[in-house]
């Protein structure tokens, strides 16, 4: 979600810095949200059809990282924003199912408390890092590169989760 929020928050200013009007930049960035409305309910269906939620999540994370990184490289922003929205939809439901796979019923409440504490701490602590990078680098593309890195970090985190899960 950090990568997703960074895209929503910083794409308009990136596009404005490239010469686009604020209203056009905002409209293009909003395509991410419109597209995710279509793809969000399809995540579970896609994972069941493919019989591999991990492949769906990792594939989405890696493709999202590439798409977000393509924005500063001059890729067409409307197409990229639509694709980001479409690929952002499948992982959330699959991610929310992960704690239930690991936590036993007797410790599920406490485990979900830890899960949400980490989630909100990351959202509160990492999204501002994108703004700090923008200021430190004096570059409107720096937050987008950070967002792409967060997507790759999500893929690595999932792999780490599966390694720890197998050891248990």
């Amino acid at each position: 979600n950090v990568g997703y929020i960074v895209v929503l928050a910083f794409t308009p200013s990136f596009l404005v810095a490239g010469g686009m009007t604020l209203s056009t930049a905002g409209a293009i960035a909003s395509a991410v949200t419109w597209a995710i409305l279509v793809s969000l309910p399809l995540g579970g269906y896609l994972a069941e059809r493919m019989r591999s939620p991990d492949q769906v999540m990792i594939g989405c994370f890696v493709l999202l990282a590439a798409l977000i990184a393509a924005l500063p490289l001059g890729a067409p922003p409307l197409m990229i924003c639509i694709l980001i929205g479409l690929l952002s939809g499948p992982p959330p439901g699959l991610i929310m199912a992960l704690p239930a796979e690991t936590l036993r019923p007797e410790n599920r409440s406490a485990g979900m408390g830890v899960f949400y504490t980490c989630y909100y701490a990351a959202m509160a602590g990492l999204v501002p890092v994108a703004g700090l990078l923008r200021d430190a680098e004096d570059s409107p593309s720096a937050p987008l590169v950070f967002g792409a890195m967060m997507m790759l970090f999500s893929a690595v985190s999932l792999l780490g989760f599966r390694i720890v899960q197998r050891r248990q």
Side-chain angles (χ1 to χ4, degrees):
N1 274 344
V2 170
Y4 177 75
I5 295 300
V6 165
V7 168
L8 292 178
F10 292 95
T11 295
S13 64
F14 168 77
L15 295 174
V16 167
M20 202 172 280
T21 67
L22 183 57
S23 60
T24 302
I28 287 173
S30 77
V32 173
T33 302
W34 289 107
I36 200 173
L37 291 174
V38 174
S39 65
L40 194 57
L42 299 178
Y45 174 78
L46 180 63
E48 286 179 15
R49 291 281 298 181
M50 291 182 63
R51 295 194 172 117
S52 181
D54 289 355
Q55 285 181 347
V56 171
M57 286 187 283
I58 289 171
C60 286
F61 294 144
V62 170
L63 289 171
L64 282 163
L67 288 167
I68 295 166
L71 275 171
L73 298 175
L78 179 59
M79 180 188 74
I80 294 296
C81 286
I82 291 169
L83 290 173
I84 288 170
L86 291 174
L87 288 169
S88 293
L94 304 174
I95 292 168
M96 294 309 297
L98 293 175
E101 287 181 24
T102 305
L103 300 169
R104 292 185 303 271
E106 60 270 13
N107 66 6
R108 198 164 289 150
S109 295
M112 290 305 292
V114 170
F115 172 82
Y116 276 109
T117 299
C118 293
Y119 170 82
Y120 287 114
M123 291 296 288
L126 291 174
V127 174
V129 169
L132 292 171
L133 286 171
R134 186 187 195 294
D135 293 345
E137 297 293 320
D138 194 28
S139 168
S141 64
L144 297 176
V145 173
F146 177 74
M149 298 308 292
M150 289 292 96
M151 292 299 180
L152 291 177
F153 179 72
S154 297
V156 171
S157 295
L158 177 60
L159 293 173
F161 172 78
R162 291 301 187 197
I163 290 167
V164 170
Q165 186 183 35
R166 284 188 190 106
R167 289 183 182 165
Q168 300 297 325

